[in-house]
C-alpha cells in the first residue's frame, strides 16, 4: 500500500495557543476534511483538531531531536552563546542551540518565534495524542505535511510593519520600498540576512580552500605535461602553448562555487536587500570579490553545483562553513515552501526569536539617544552569593544596565510576552522578582520593565496614556526605591495606508517612551 501525504498550511502569531488557532488560519492543500472522512458528521471539526494536534507534535519533534532549523540570530543571542561557550571552554555552537527558541512554548503554546517550520506527522502519532479521543477512520499509511507560518502578534496578516522595523533597525535607510508584507517576502529577507550572517562568522577562517586538479593549455607551464592532450590541442601549431595539469590548494572548489552561485542568485532576485546587507559590508564584499575573480564563471552550473555540495563539510578547521553550505543550498533550491523539504519526520525551517530582536532594537534606540550621558551594558553577567570556599554559585544577567559616571543607576529588562500587554498581573511576578534581584546584585538605584503595547488608535489610546503616567511605583511601603513600567505603543499596522505613515506614528510613541526614560534616569542620578 503506497503512502499518502496531505499538506496543511497553518498561520499563527507568536505566543499563540495552538488549540486556539481558528479554522480560518488552517488551510488544506488539494483536499478537504469532508473528502478525507467521506462526508462523515463532524469531519471539519475533527480535521481542525487533527491539524492542531499535528502542529503540537511537530513542535515537540523540533525541540526533542531536530537539527534542521536555521536561526537568524540577533546580536543579543550571539553574545549570550559566546558567554556560554567561554564558560564551558568549548565550542558547542550548532543548529541544536536553536531549539531553545521554540522550547519556550508552554506545552500547547507557540513560543516567541517568527518564521516558518515544516515537518511530517504520521496518523499513528496523531492517534496517540491525549486530545484525540475520537476514533480516526483513516489508513495507517497516511501522514500530514505541516507548514507553519508565524508572524508577530503586533502586526496584521497583510502588513508586517513592526516585524520589518525590528529586523531592519539601523540597517536599511529605505522604508516602504523594502517592507515585506507576507511570508514569502519574509523568506527573502531571511535568506539574504542568514547568508550574510553566516559569511561574517566564517570570514575569520579565510576562504575555504581544497586541493584541486586543473588543466591548462598556455605558455605558463607548471605541474605535469599532458602529452596526449598537448598533441591533440597543439600539434602543428606554432602557438607556444603547452598542455599541462597541476594540483593547487585553491578557492576554485565546489563549496566556493556554491557560495558564489548563491550570491549571484540573491543579487538578481533581491538587488536592494543584497545592496544594503551584503555589498555595503566591506568585509563581505571583498570576500566575494576574491571568489568572483578567481573562479571560472563558466563552471557555475547550478544543477551540478547542488549535486556536488550534497556532502557536508567535515574539515575541522572549516566547521563554520557547514551552516553556510546549508543556507546556500536552500537559496538555490528556493521554490517556495519546498526549500524546507522535511523528510523522515525531521522538522526544518527558518526562525527568528522576537524577544531577542526586541532587545536589540531597544538597545540601538537607547544608545542613539543617551550615548553622550549614559553607558549602557547589555546582557552583562554579574555573579553573586559565594560558597565558603569563595566561589560564586549564582549569575544574574540583566538586559540593560545604565551607568552614569561608571555608577549603576538603573536596571531594565525588555519583555515581549503577551502578559505585559494584557495587564495580566499573575504572569508578571517572576519578571518583577528578577528585576529586583538584578537591581540588588548590581547595586542600582531603580529597576523596571520595557514592554510593547498593542495600540488600537480607535480604542485604547487612553489606556496607554494611563500606563505611561502611572509607570513609576515604589517597590514596597518600607522603602523609596522605584519600579518603572515602560510601555512602548505599537500602532496596529492595518490602520495605516502605508509603512511611512505607520512609522511616523510608531516613532511618535517611541519618542514618548525615550523622553520618559530620560526623565527617570535623571531622577535616579539625583539631578
Amino acid at each position: 500500500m503506497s503512502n499518502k501525504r496531505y499538506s496543511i498550511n497553518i498561520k499563527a502569531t507568536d505566543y499563540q495557543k495552538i488549540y486556539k488557532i481558528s479554522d480560518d488560519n488552517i488551510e488544506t492543500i488539494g483536499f478537504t476534511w469532508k473528502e478525507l472522512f467521506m462526508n462523515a458528521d463532524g469531519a471539519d471539526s475533527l480535521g481542525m483538531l487533527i491539524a492542531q494536534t499535528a502542529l503540537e507534535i511537530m513542535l515537540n519533534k523540533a525541540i526533542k531531536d531536530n537539527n534542521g532549523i536555521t536561526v537568524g540570530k540577533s546580536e543579543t543571542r550571539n553574545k549570550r552563546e559566546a558567554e556560554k561557550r567561554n564558560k564551558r571552554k568549548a565550542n558547542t555552537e550548532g543548529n541544536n542551540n536553536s531549539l531553545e527558541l521554540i522550547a519556550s512554548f508552554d506545552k500547547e503554546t507557540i513560543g516567541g518565534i517568527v518564521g516558518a517550520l515544516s515537518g511530517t506527522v504520521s496518523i499513528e502519532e496523531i492517534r496517540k495524542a491525549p486530545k484525540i479521543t475520537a476514533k480516526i477512520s483513516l489508513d495507517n499509511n497516511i501522514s500530514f505535511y505541516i507548514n507553519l507560518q508565524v508572524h508577530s502578534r503586533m502586526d496584521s496578516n497583510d502588513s508586517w510593519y513592526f516585524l520589518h522595523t525590528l529586523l531592519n533597525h539601523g540597517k536599511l535607510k529605505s522604508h516602504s520600498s523594502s517592507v515585506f508584507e507576507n511570508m514569502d517576502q519574509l523568506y527573502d529577507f531571511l535568506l539574504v540576512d542568514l547568508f550574510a550572517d553566516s559569511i561574517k562568522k566564517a570570514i575569520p577562517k579565510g576562504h575555504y580552500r581544497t586541493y584541486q586538479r586543473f588543466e591548462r593549455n598556455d605558455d605558463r607551464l607548471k605541474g605535469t605535461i599532458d602529452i596526449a592532450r598537448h598533441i591533440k590541442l597543439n600539434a602543428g601549431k606554432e602557438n607556444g602553448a603547452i598542455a599541462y595539469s597541476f594540483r593547487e590548494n585553491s578557492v576554485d572548489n565546489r563549496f566556493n562555487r556554491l557560495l558564489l552561485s548563491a550570491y549571484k542568485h540573491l543579487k538578481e532576485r533581491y538587488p536592494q536587500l543584497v545592496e544594503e546587507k551584503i555589498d555595503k559590508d566591506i568585509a563581505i564584499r571583498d570576500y566575494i570579490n576574491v571568489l568572483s575573480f578567481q573562479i571560472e564563471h563558466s563552471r557555475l552550473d547550478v544543477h551540478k553545483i547542488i549535486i556536488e555540495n550534497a556532502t557536508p563539510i567535515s574539515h575541522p578547521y572549516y566547521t563554520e562553513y557547514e551552516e553556510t553550505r546549508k543556507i546556500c543550498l536552500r537559496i538555490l533550491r528556493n521554490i517556495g515552501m519546498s526549500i524546507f523539504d522535511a523528510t523522515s519526520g525531521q522538522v526544518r525551517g527558518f526562525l527568528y526569536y522576537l524577544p531577542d530582536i526586541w532587545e536589540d532594537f531597544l538597545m540601538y534606540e537607547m544608545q542613539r539617544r543617551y550615548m553622550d550621558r549614559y553607558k549602557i551594558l547589555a546582557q552583562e553577567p554579574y555573579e553573586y552569593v559565594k560558597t565558603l570556599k569563595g566561589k560564586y554559585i549564582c549569575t544574574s544577567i540583566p538586559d540593560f544596565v545604565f551607568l552614569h559616571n561608571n555608577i549603576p543607576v538603573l536596571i531594565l529588562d525588555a519583555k515581549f510576552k503577551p502578559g505585559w500587554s494584557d495587564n495580566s498581573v499573575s504572569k508578571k511576578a517572576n519578571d518583577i522578582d528578577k528585576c529586583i534581584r538584578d537591581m540588588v546584585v548590581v547595586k542600582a538605584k531603580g529597576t523596571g520593565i520595557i514592554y510593547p503595547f498593542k495600540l488600537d488608535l480607535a480604542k485604547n489610546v487612553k489606556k496607554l496614556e494611563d500606563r505611561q503616567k502611572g509607570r513609576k511605583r515604589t517597590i514596597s511601603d518600607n522603602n523609596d526605591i522605584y519600579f518603572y513600567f515602560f510601555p512602548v505603543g505599537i500602532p496596529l499596522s492595518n490602520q495605516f495606508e502605508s509603512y511611512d505613515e505607520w512609522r511616523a506614528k510608531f516613532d511618535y510613541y517611541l519618542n514618548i517612551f525615550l523622553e520618559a526614560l530620560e526623565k527617570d534616569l535623571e531622577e535616579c542620578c539625583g539631578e
Side-chain angles (χ1 to χ4, degrees), residues 249-345:
N249 194 21
S250 171
V251 298
D252 190 355
N253 52 58
R254 64 181 179 91
F255 169 75
N256 286 326
R257 287 193 290 274
L258 173 72
L259 191 152
L260 189 57
S261 296
Y263 168 77
K264 290 171 73 69
H265 173 80
L266 291 174
K267 183 77 171 177
E268 291 173 1
R269 189 167 182 181
Y270 321 120
Q272 184 187 9
L273 278 174
V274 171
E275 174 71 20
E276 294 289 347
K277 290 181 167 292
I278 297 178
D279 292 347
K280 288 187 177 180
D281 187 303
I282 296 175
I284 299 178
R285 186 185 64 207
D286 291 348
Y287 182 93
I288 291 176
N289 283 344
V290 170
L291 297 183
S292 184
F293 179 75
Q294 296 191 27
I295 292 176
E296 296 180 24
H297 286 248
S298 61
R299 303 180 69 185
L300 297 182
D301 181 334
V302 173
H303 180 70
K304 183 179 178 181
I305 287 171
I306 290 174
I307 296 173
E308 287 177 339
N309 284 275
T311 305
I313 294 173
S314 56
H315 195 294
Y317 182 74
Y318 291 116
T319 53
E320 288 84 356
Y321 283 104
E322 173 57 15
E323 188 63 26
T324 307
R325 182 189 70 88
K326 293 178 180 178
I327 292 171
C328 289
L329 285 174
R330 291 185 183 185
I331 290 169
L332 295 180
R333 290 170 176 164
N334 185 14
I335 48 175
M337 289 299 294
S338 63
I339 55 176
F340 302 122
D341 192 25
T343 57
S344 304

Side-chain angles (χ1 to χ4, degrees), residues 476-489:
S476 77
D477 294 336
N478 299 320
N479 59 54
D480 56 358
I481 300 173
Y482 290 102
F483 196 104
Y484 299 89
F485 298 88
F486 292 104
V488 181

Side-chain angles (χ1 to χ4, degrees), residues 113-363:
I113 61 172
V114 64
L117 292 173
S118 293
T120 301
V121 179
S122 71
I123 194 66
E124 290 187 357
E125 292 175 299
I126 293 172
R127 281 197 180 102
K128 295 175 184 177
K131 283 190 176 289
I132 301 294
T133 57
K135 184 177 180 180
I136 301 176
S137 57
L138 296 176
D139 295 335
N140 289 334
N141 63 327
I142 284 178
S143 62
F144 296 97
Y145 183 67
I146 307 297
N147 292 324
L148 171 66
Q149 302 178 1
V150 187
H151 67 272
S152 170
R153 69 182 187 277
M154 295 294 168
D155 286 318
S156 62
N157 285 328
D158 55 356
S159 301
W160 295 9
Y161 297 161
F162 179 66
L163 179 59
H164 170 84
T165 302
L166 291 192
L167 291 177
N168 284 302
H169 70 273
K171 298 174 183 176
L172 294 182
K173 294 180 181 178
S174 56
H175 285 175
S176 36
S177 60
S178 60
V179 176
F180 40 79
E181 298 181 344
N182 53 51
M183 188 58 69
D184 289 337
Q185 292 176 26
L186 176 59
Y187 292 152
D188 298 348
F189 177 90
L190 292 178
L191 284 171
V192 177
D193 197 51
L194 295 173
F195 179 76
D197 188 58
S198 69
I199 294 178
K200 280 183 181 179
K201 292 177 183 177
I203 282 177
K205 290 293 181 73
H207 290 91
Y208 181 82
R209 294 177 179 270
T210 59
Y211 277 97
Q212 302 288 310
R213 184 176 181 273
F214 297 96
E215 293 182 345
R216 296 286 188 270
N217 184 50
D218 54 39
D219 60 357
R220 297 186 292 274
L221 173 64
K222 62 178 176 178
T224 305
I225 297 176
D226 189 336
I227 296 176
R229 194 162 57 88
H230 177 73
I231 293 173
K232 179 180 178 181
L233 296 175
N234 303 311
K237 300 177 182 179
E238 295 182 0
N239 56 9
I242 300 174
Y244 61 94
S245 63
F246 62 94
R247 277 173 54 82
E248 183 175 88
N249 194 21
S250 171
V251 298
D252 190 355
N253 52 58
R254 64 181 179 91
F255 169 75
N256 286 326
R257 287 193 290 274
L258 173 72
L259 191 152
L260 189 57
S261 296
Y263 168 77
K264 290 171 73 69
H265 173 80
L266 291 174
K267 183 77 171 177
E268 291 173 1
R269 189 167 182 181
Y270 321 120
Q272 184 187 9
L273 278 174
V274 171
E275 174 71 20
E276 294 289 347
K277 290 181 167 292
I278 297 178
D279 292 347
K280 288 187 177 180
D281 187 303
I282 296 175
I284 299 178
R285 186 185 64 207
D286 291 348
Y287 182 93
I288 291 176
N289 283 344
V290 170
L291 297 183
S292 184
F293 179 75
Q294 296 191 27
I295 292 176
E296 296 180 24
H297 286 248
S298 61
R299 303 180 69 185
L300 297 182
D301 181 334
V302 173
H303 180 70
K304 183 179 178 181
I305 287 171
I306 290 174
I307 296 173
E308 287 177 339
N309 284 275
T311 305
I313 294 173
S314 56
H315 195 294
Y317 182 74
Y318 291 116
T319 53
E320 288 84 356
Y321 283 104
E322 173 57 15
E323 188 63 26
T324 307
R325 182 189 70 88
K326 293 178 180 178
I327 292 171
C328 289
L329 285 174
R330 291 185 183 185
I331 290 169
L332 295 180
R333 290 170 176 164
N334 185 14
I335 48 175
M337 289 299 294
S338 63
I339 55 176
F340 302 122
D341 192 25
T343 57
S344 304
Q346 191 180 48
V347 181
R348 296 189 180 277
F350 289 120
L351 295 178
Y352 266 96
Y353 190 51
L354 280 171
D356 281 358
I357 307 301
W358 173 238
E359 288 177 27
D360 277 358
F361 172 78
L362 291 173
M363 181 65 172

